[in-house]
Structure formats: C-alpha cells, structure tokens
Amino acid sequence: MQAFVDTRPPYPPVWSRLGMRLLLLLALLLAAASLKAEPVMLDQHWEYRWGDSPFSDNGTPLWTQQADAADWQPIDFPANPPGRNDQTNVWYRTVLPDGEWRDPVLYVSSIDLIVEAYLDGKQIYHYGHFDSEGKGHFQGWPWHMIPLPSDAGGKTIYFRVFSDYVAIGFWGEVKVMERTALYDQINEQSFEGVIITAFCLLMIMLALLFALFGNQRQLFISVALFSTASAGMAITGTTIKQIILNAPLLWEYIAAGSYYLFPLGMAMLLEVVFSPDCKKCLRTLQVVFFAYITGALGLSLLGVVNLSDTYPVFDAFFATLVPLMLILTFIHRHPHNPDQRVILSACALFTLILMLDMAVAHNWIEWRDIPVDWGALVFVLAIISLSLHHYLRMQNKLTRLNATLEAQVRERTQKMEQLAAQESARARALEFGNQKSLLLDGLINRIEAEADVPSALQALGPALAEFCHPVPGGYYRHADDGERYQLSHHWGSSEQLPAQAINDIVLPHPGWQSFHVDYQHPQSGPRTGAIICINLASDTIDFEELQAFTLKTLFKRAVERMGLTLSRMALQEALSRLSYEDALTGLHNRRYLDEMLPREMQLAQRNRTPLTLMICDLDHFKRLNDTHGHAAGDRVLKEVSQRIKDTFRQTDILSRYGGEEFVVVMPGADLESGLQRSEQLRQQLSELDIMYEGKSLGPVTLSAGICSLSADITTPEQLLQQADSALYAAKHQGRNRIMCRSNGHPGS
C-alpha cells in the first residue's frame, strides 16, 4: 500500500484566507455596531404613584393603560417618594431612551424589595412573588437584568414595587445597555472583588496558622475574623456572584454575617492592644455583637423576622456603640505608643468607610460606590504588617525644629508685611465699592423708570460709562435678528472691541471679560438682554487688590441686580398683558372689549367716522365637543382665532366674547367693508379642513351678525344687542351665513 504523502501547501488555501478575512470584517462591523449603543443612564424623567393598580380580567394592570393620569407625580430618582405614610406599594414609570440596540437590557443595582416590570401592558420581568393583596417577602438584594425588545426605545416602562423595609424603590445605577456590555461590566467590576476575596482567604489561613503556633493568639484570631468578614463582603459586593450562584437570599446571609462580624473583630483587636482599664467594656461589647449576630441570623432563618429588617437595627448599634468604643480606647491610649496610634487610626478610618456605606444604603447621601472591600483589605494588611514587622516608629524632630525656627520667623515677618499692604489696598477697594454701590442704585432707578424691558435695555447703555469708570468697556445689545449683538455704547480705551458678534463677544485681549445681563421672561424663560465687556487688565487700575477681586465681584453682582430688575419688569409686562388676553386663543378677552368699545365709539362719534362691529358664533360647536372631545374643540378655536387674525386688520379689536363666540370691532370701517371681511372669514373657514390626531373634524362654519354705529345707537350695549340680533337671525335662517343690521332691521 502506498504511503499517504501530504502535498498541501504550508499556508491555508485562498478560500480559507478569504473566509478568515470575512469573519474578521464581520467581527469589526459587530464591534462598530456595539459602539453605537452606549449605555444610557435613566436618572431623570421618572414618575411615581402610591398604591397598587387594579388588574383587568386578562391580568393587565389598568395603570399601564391609562395615559397621563393626574395621580402620577414627577420624581428625580425612583426611590423613597414623599408622603409614604406606611404605604408598602408604589408604581414607577419612565420612557426608555432611543438607541440602536441589538440586545438591550435594563440594569438596576438593587430594588427594595420585590418588583414586576411591564412594557406595552405585558409583564416582562419579576423578582419575588406578589400575593393577591399585592404584597410579598424579602428575597435578597440582587442586581437585576431586565431583557428589553430591540424596539423598546420611546416606550413607557412601568414598575410595580412592594417593600415593608425602611426604603422603597430603586438603589444605585439604573441604565439601558447591551447585554454583552453588561457582562463586560460585570467582569470588569468583579475583578477586584475576586482578587480581594482570594487574598483575604489567604490571610485567614495565615492568621489561623499563626494563632495555632504563635504567642499572640487573640490578635491573630481577630485578624482572621476581619479577613473572614472582608472576604465575605468582597465576594458579596461583586456582581459576578449571581452568575456563580443565582441564590440572592443565600448571598444576603453571607453579606449580613460578614458585615456583622466587623465590630466583633474590632473589639477583640482593641482588647489586645489597649490597656486593661477598658478591657471589661470591650468584652461586654464583644458579647453584645456576638449575641446580635447569632440572634439576627438565627431568627431570620427561622422566619421570625426578615433579614432585611435586621440591617437598620444593626446600623443603629454600629453607629452608636463603635464610635463610643473608639472614644473609650482613645481616652485610655498611651500617648507615646505608635502601635496604638496606628491601630486606632485604622479602626477610625475603616469605621468612617462603613458609616459612609451605611449612609449610601439608607439614601442619606447620594449613591456612590464606597470601597468597603478595599478598606477592609487595607485594614487587614495594616494590622498584619504592624504585628509581624513592627512598623518603624516616628523619630523625634525637635532638632530639625530648632534649625527651621529662624526661617519660619522670617517667613512670617514677610507674610505680615504682605498682609499690611493687602489691607491697605483692600481699604481703598472698599471705598471704591461703596461709591459704585451708590451709582448702581441710581442706575437701577433709571431703568426702573422705563415703560418696558426694551426701553430699559436701551437706557442702560448710556448710564454704564459713569458706573464702570475708570475701567474701559463696551455695551452690546441684541440686533433685530435676535442672535447678533451690536456694539451700542463704549467708553474708555475700547477701540479694539468688535462692532458686532454672533452668540458671544470675541474679546480682543485676555484681560477682557464679558458679563451677560440675563433675565427671566415669564413665557420664554431665560434671556440674555445685553452683554457688558470690561477690561480688567487695564492700566487705569493702580492697585492690585481692586483689580483681582473687587472689580470682578462688583460687576458680577451689579449684572445680577440688573437681571433681577429686568425680570421684575418682564413679569409686570406679562401680568398686564395676560389680564387682557385670552389664554387659549391669544385674542383679547371680554374685559379688554368692555374697556375699549366705549372708547372707540366715542372716537368715532367725535370724529364722525364709521365703526362696525361683528359678532360671530361657530355652528354646532357643542356637537363637535361631544363627538371629538374638548381637546379637539380647543384645536378648532385656535384655528378659527388664527384665521380671524389673518383676515382682519391690526387696528381692529379682536376678542373672544365667550365660549365659541368672537367679537371684532372695526374702527373706520363701514357696513359694506365689514360685511366683505366677515364673508371672507366665513368662506375661509368653510373651506378649512382641521385635522386632530390624524382625523378630520369635518367642515367648520360660522354664523355672524354685523351692525354699524348709527345715530340711534348711543351705548356699547345697544351696538352689541343689534349685532347679536343679526347673529340670531343668521342662526334662525339656517346658519353658515352673515346677517347685518341697518337702522334696526336685519339684512343679508
């Protein structure tokens, strides 16, 4: 038989290399796609609602089907809403962000205590079990990975939460991310905890070994307890523990036992190191902490209490007894014993870390990752190093103090001289500031005397030169386009200032600084009315203290006061305007009509000029409201109001008379021209197709009555009554028509 000879080339064939390149390209494309979907934090736009939702026959919570119920309240973060009052059920909701997700999940660090998640009315996740009363039992504090559909962006997700714990709701991070990115985060975040756990296990073995064969048995037993607690806290503090073993309640027992061991080990350690005077108290505390560990874990295992309820009690013990224990040992410390100082400092630092972690857990401070495992590891290393290597003690530095004493005296003398010079400059700066305060009062009084904000901004420019003297600068105001600033006034050596700039001033020199005169408009929000530019590096200022601090602070406070004054003027303008304006349509209201109609009639009678009044009413408007709803009716009123504005003159008085009735007063217009304008409005509305929520509201028609001022009409009431009679005639003759009154008789 002929032997087989491998005649294949040493490199892969062409198709194989091509396949490898295609796979590499595919991997790069997938990596690029994953880069587009960055994790998105859900830390705003949340709403909550106390209580529990009723469910439909098919198991759908009714609260997930009701749009924008008034009972939903905004909240910055879905945790511990106000007004709990011993309630145990709450709902949260938020809108999921848009993104190019391939396999999105919602990651939550922890939830108190059990939860159900709903999307599109369907349950997509649950942790724990709700009974028929909407309640449940503590199951641990795991992290949650809630799978989401790829098209979940823009949809509202609902969370049903039950908690009889002191906290209710979410804790830690809440973000949407790719599933692969979450696993990468788990691996990355857990790496340190796994390493610390392995190191602490090694420390346990070494401490027990030294305890068996050494002469400081209690010291090494306390180190072993600390290492055990540190290992437990480190592994239970990692996110990978759920992947290793998905048993949240078991991990909570490990975490609780580890957490409760810390003060016991600390009391044992302090008993070894410090004087016999406080050993009795320390042993009493050891008994108390050991009794609490066994009692809390035992009773929770028997089902007498919830494990979650043992944390607040222990935290109260810890926050009270551990600081007292440290104070007691501090009182009985030996002032020249470096070992005691190191151990006491390490205990105090680690206690502070645990109390910070306690504050985060109880939402007393904003959530952040407290490195408890690292603190415990450093504490164990410090104690072991101190016990085995006897840290080098600090040497007395009295010889160095004698050598440096004269240098310190000279340094302090120089500082005193500098302080005297600064105080002199500060006195001059204070006098300068008092003068400018008086000028600022006059400037504010000047702009307050103006009628409106634009007039105040115009008057501000000329008044700034005296206020800013001797500092050169310029004053920029908005141009007509609303985006460009134009140089309105300048003073001093400010020739280098540009004549105009967009969005911000391009300052000619680093010493220049701009101050925005911002004010609050009641309707459009924050506005920048003007910009003041000054040269803080000008050589006209001859003392440094004024230039470095007082000038900048002075101008900043002055601009703030200008902004407050402009905000108050804008608010007064808005209030004055709103008192005569209909909020829905933007037309004048009846109050404005009642004040202006008598005035216009007097002017027309005095000048012997015509005046025509039209009153119109939308046909079948009540039927439209009953059919399509009041929101659709409001849409129709807005459209009709806009057509009225487009049809009639700016000099005409356009007002909403009430409901679907409108009144137009046309000074200088006779009956014929008023009829033409009204007919034009009627024709435009009859051809208008108003859409609401994708549906046509049908034709909109109006009926109107017109009347002109005549000799037999002497009061506004008579003029309105004549026009209203014509309107009634138009309604009576079939609607969608214009009727006029001439000499008391209706006509078409």
Side-chain angles (χ1 to χ4, degrees):
M1 181 180 294
Q2 185 178 2
F4 177 78
V5 179
D6 190 357
T7 60
R8 291 177 297 177
Y11 298 100
V14 175
W15 64 268
S16 178
R17 295 198 301 271
L18 180 60
M20 292 173 63
R21 291 175 181 174
L22 289 176
L23 288 175
L24 179 60
L25 178 60
L26 179 60
L28 291 175
L29 290 176
L30 290 176
S34 65
L35 289 176
K36 295 180 181 179
E38 294 292 334
V40 179
M41 298 294 296
L42 298 182
D43 54 0
Q44 56 185 349
H45 306 303
W46 284 88
E47 294 178 309
Y48 73 93
R49 185 173 181 178
W50 283 114
D52 200 9
S53 170
F55 285 74
S56 63
D57 295 336
N58 61 358
T60 301
L62 298 183
W63 285 1
T64 65
Q65 305 296 316
Q66 299 172 357
D68 297 328
D71 292 331
W72 290 94
Q73 302 294 328
I75 189 171
D76 293 334
F77 187 79
N80 300 323
R84 182 173 183 180
N85 297 327
D86 297 328
Q87 298 192 68
T88 58
N89 290 84
V90 68
W91 281 70
Y92 298 101
R93 70 178 183 182
T94 189
V95 178
L96 293 171
D98 292 322
E100 297 179 0
W101 308 105
R102 293 184 295 108
D103 187 13
V105 295
L106 178 64
Y107 170 72
V108 184
S109 298
S110 181
I111 298 178
D112 292 309
L113 289 173
I114 61 174
V115 65
E116 290 179 349
Y118 292 87
L119 191 67
D120 292 332
K122 298 179 181 178
Q123 185 185 119
I124 62 172
Y125 179 80
H126 76 91
Y127 174 72
H129 300 281
F130 288 80
D131 58 20
S132 59
E133 297 180 358
K135 304 184 183 302
H137 299 284
F138 176 69
Q139 301 293 326
W141 281 306
W143 53 267
H144 302 266
M145 181 178 68
I146 304 175
L148 300 174
S150 58
D151 60 345
K155 295 182 179 180
T156 301
I157 187 169
Y158 293 79
F159 297 92
R160 180 192 186 193
V161 178
F162 163 80
S163 176
D164 54 3
Y165 185 55
V166 293
I168 183 168
F170 290 54
W171 184 86
E173 291 183 318
V174 183
K175 58 185 176 183
V176 177
M177 60 194 308
E178 293 289 347
R179 188 188 299 267
T180 55
L182 176 57
Y183 286 137
D184 291 340
Q185 175 181 306
I186 291 172
N187 293 331
E188 181 181 356
Q189 292 179 346
S190 303
F191 178 78
E192 294 180 355
V194 172
I195 297 299
I196 293 174
T197 302
F199 190 84
C200 288
L201 292 176
L202 177 61
M203 291 298 103
I204 295 172
M205 296 171 55
L206 291 175
L208 292 177
L209 185 63
F210 282 107
L212 288 174
F213 300 100
N215 56 359
Q216 293 182 333
R217 180 171 301 175
Q218 187 173 352
L219 174 63
F220 288 107
I221 290 177
S222 65
V223 172
L225 284 177
F226 265 108
S227 300
T228 303
S230 301
M233 291 294 290
I235 190 61
T236 56
T238 63
T239 50
I240 204 171
K241 68 179 186 296
Q242 270 178 246
I243 299 177
I244 298 174
L245 178 62
N246 189 15
L249 197 55
L250 175 61
W251 287 116
E252 288 304 327
Y253 275 100
I254 296 174
S258 303
Y259 182 39
Y260 298 163
L261 273 179
F262 278 124
L264 177 60
M266 189 180 298
M268 293 179 63
L269 177 64
L270 294 176
E271 179 189 353
V272 175
V273 177
F274 285 84
S275 62
D277 296 337
C278 57
K279 282 191 175 183
K280 184 177 180 180
C281 294
L282 292 174
R283 287 186 178 179
T284 303
L285 291 175
Q286 293 175 37
V287 173
V288 171
F289 289 126
F290 181 78
Y292 189 86
I293 294 174
T294 56
L297 298 183
L299 292 176
S300 61
L301 286 172
L302 294 174
V304 178
V305 297
N306 285 330
L307 181 62
S308 61
D309 294 331
T310 64
Y311 276 94
V313 180
F314 179 80
D315 290 341
F317 275 123
F318 187 95
T320 304
L321 298 180
V322 173
L324 288 176
M325 179 172 63
L326 295 177
I327 293 173
L328 178 66
T329 52
F330 178 80
I331 294 174
H332 292 89
R333 78 191 189 285
H334 193 281
H336 301 296
N337 189 328
D339 293 346
Q340 291 184 356
R341 288 201 299 269
V342 171
I343 291 176
L344 189 59
S345 300
C347 289
L349 179 60
F350 186 60
T351 301
L352 178 61
I353 293 176
L354 287 178
M355 295 188 73
L356 286 175
D357 185 69
M358 182 194 311
V360 172
H362 290 284
N363 288 324
W364 295 337
I365 62 175
E366 185 180 1
W367 181 87
R368 64 195 65 191
D369 189 11
I370 305 298
V372 177
D373 47 359
W374 277 106
L377 178 62
V378 172
F379 182 83
V380 171
L381 290 176
I383 301 304
I384 291 179
S385 300
L386 183 65
S387 303
L388 299 178
H389 301 287
H390 300 285
Y391 281 109
L392 296 177
R393 291 164 174 81
M394 298 297 292
Q395 300 297 323
N396 195 337
K397 298 182 179 181
L398 291 177
T399 55
R400 296 183 181 179
L401 292 176
N402 292 330
T404 57
L405 183 59
E406 292 183 2
Q408 291 179 358
V409 170
R410 288 194 298 268
E411 182 181 356
R412 291 183 180 180
T413 302
Q414 293 176 357
K415 288 183 178 180
M416 291 297 295
E417 293 175 353
Q418 294 176 358
L419 182 61
Q422 291 175 359
E423 288 299 324
S424 176
R426 187 168 308 194
R428 289 186 287 171
L430 182 60
E431 182 181 359
F432 180 87
N434 291 335
Q435 295 175 355
K436 293 304 179 183
S437 296
L438 295 176
L439 292 175
L440 179 61
D441 292 340
L443 188 148
I444 295 299
N445 292 334
R446 180 171 179 179
I447 63 176
E448 284 181 338
E450 299 296 331
D452 50 29
V453 172
S455 301
L457 289 171
Q458 184 176 1
L460 182 59
L464 284 173
E466 182 180 4
F467 175 74
C468 295
H469 179 78
V471 182
Y475 177 70
Y476 288 82
R477 289 179 55 206
H478 269 305
D480 294 336
D481 58 7
E483 296 182 357
R484 187 178 300 274
Y485 295 96
Q486 290 183 343
L487 183 62
S488 174
H489 294 83
H490 65 87
W491 52 90
S493 56
S494 56
E495 294 79 12
Q496 294 178 324
L497 285 172
Q500 59 183 0
I502 297 177
N503 295 330
D504 204 351
I505 302 301
V506 180
L507 300 177
H509 187 274
W512 287 80
Q513 186 165 353
S514 61
F515 296 86
H516 289 225
V517 183
D518 298 328
Y519 67 97
Q520 189 76 17
H521 194 275
Q523 294 177 337
S524 58
R527 288 185 178 180
T528 300
I531 297 179
I532 302 173
C533 297
I534 59 173
N535 184 5
L536 293 177
S538 173
D539 54 6
T540 58
I541 309 300
D542 58 352
F543 48 102
E544 182 179 357
E545 182 68 20
L546 177 62
Q547 181 181 0
F549 172 75
T550 308
L551 272 181
K552 186 175 180 179
T553 303
L554 175 67
F555 282 107
K556 181 179 179 181
R557 293 176 180 174
V559 168
E560 290 176 353
R561 187 173 173 187
M562 296 174 193
L564 290 174
T565 302
L566 295 175
S567 299
R568 185 170 62 254
M569 295 179 66
L571 178 61
Q572 292 173 350
E573 291 179 35
L575 291 175
S576 176
R577 183 178 64 257
L578 290 175
S579 64
Y580 291 105
E581 185 177 283
D582 179 62
L584 176 65
T585 63
L587 301 178
H588 294 302
N589 55 22
R590 184 167 182 174
R591 176 184 176 185
Y592 184 84
L593 176 68
D594 292 341
E595 292 186 8
M596 295 303 295
L597 182 56
R599 176 178 175 274
E600 294 297 333
M601 288 182 61
Q602 291 177 2
L603 289 175
Q605 292 169 347
R606 183 187 307 162
N607 300 328
R608 296 183 180 181
T609 55
L611 183 141
T612 301
L613 182 142
M614 184 269 287
I615 182 170
C616 63
D617 181 271
L618 299 182
D619 298 329
H620 304 296
F621 186 73
K622 183 179 183 301
R623 185 171 61 191
L624 184 145
N625 273 337
D626 295 339
T627 303
H628 300 284
H630 289 279
D634 291 344
R635 176 66 179 273
V636 170
L637 291 174
K638 291 180 181 179
E639 291 288 344
V640 172
S641 301
Q642 186 59 46
R643 294 303 181 278
I644 292 176
K645 293 177 184 178
D646 296 340
T647 302
F648 292 93
R649 303 168 299 177
Q650 292 184 351
T651 56
D652 296 336
I653 300 174
L654 316 177
S655 63
R656 183 183 178 187
Y657 197 58
E660 67 273 22
E661 284 189 313
F662 300 89
V663 173
V664 178
V665 180
M666 295 169 275
D670 56 15
L671 189 64
E672 182 63 26
S673 60
L675 183 62
Q676 291 177 358
R677 293 279 184 178
S678 302
E679 180 62 28
Q680 180 182 352
L681 173 64
R682 187 197 66 80
Q683 184 66 27
Q684 288 181 358
L685 289 180
S686 64
E687 298 173 355
L688 183 63
D689 186 13
I690 301 176
M691 305 295 294
Y692 179 72
E693 294 184 348
K695 296 186 298 184
S696 175
L697 299 179
V700 177
T701 63
L702 64 78
S703 302
I706 300 178
C707 180
S708 290
L709 186 64
S710 60
D712 58 339
I713 297 177
T714 59
T715 65
E717 290 77 12
Q718 292 175 343
L719 185 62
L720 284 168
Q721 183 181 6
Q722 293 294 327
D724 190 62
S725 298
L727 170 62
Y728 179 78
K731 292 282 188 180
H732 186 69
Q733 294 187 19
R735 296 184 172 84
N736 192 18
R737 63 190 65 240
I738 310 296
M739 301 293 291
C740 59
R741 280 256 171 192
S742 178
N743 297 326
H745 300 285
S748 60

